[in-house]
Amino acid sequence: GPPPLPPLVALPSEDATEVSLVDLRQQPAAEAARLLPIATRERAGMLMCLHFLGEHDLLAGWEDGTLQRFDLRAPGRAVGC
């Protein structure tokens, strides 16, 4: 079957340039981390898509075409695509 999904919701930040992770295990639900595209030093533009690849992996795509895979076990660290 499909891989298990984490108890997180990924959504664009207020200005739509970062990924905001919300932990549903906290009551009330609270932001757990902010993820940035680190493949580029320039602004990548608006966050266009998010997709959980499994329990520990999130794929995010930005307006400039940047794709970044994040390991959710270490949210501050992006891994290659």
Side-chain angles (χ1 to χ4, degrees), residues 7-72:
L8 299 170
V9 173
L11 58 144
S13 61
E14 291 94 24
D15 67 356
T17 61
E18 302 172 353
V19 179
S20 176
L21 288 178
V22 176
D23 189 339
L24 299 178
R25 295 170 291 197
Q26 296 182 21
Q27 294 297 321
E31 184 174 81
R34 287 264 173 132
L35 309 176
L36 301 167
I38 61 172
T40 178
R41 292 194 177 274
E42 299 295 319
R43 296 288 252 164
M46 185 181 292
L47 182 65
M48 302 301 288
C49 62
L50 293 164
H51 181 74
F52 282 102
L53 299 172
E55 186 175 6
H56 303 292
D57 291 307
L58 176 69
L59 182 65
W62 279 265
E63 190 173 14
D64 73 346
T66 298
L67 288 175
Q68 193 69 59
R69 185 169 62 95
F70 294 94
D71 182 341
L72 299 179

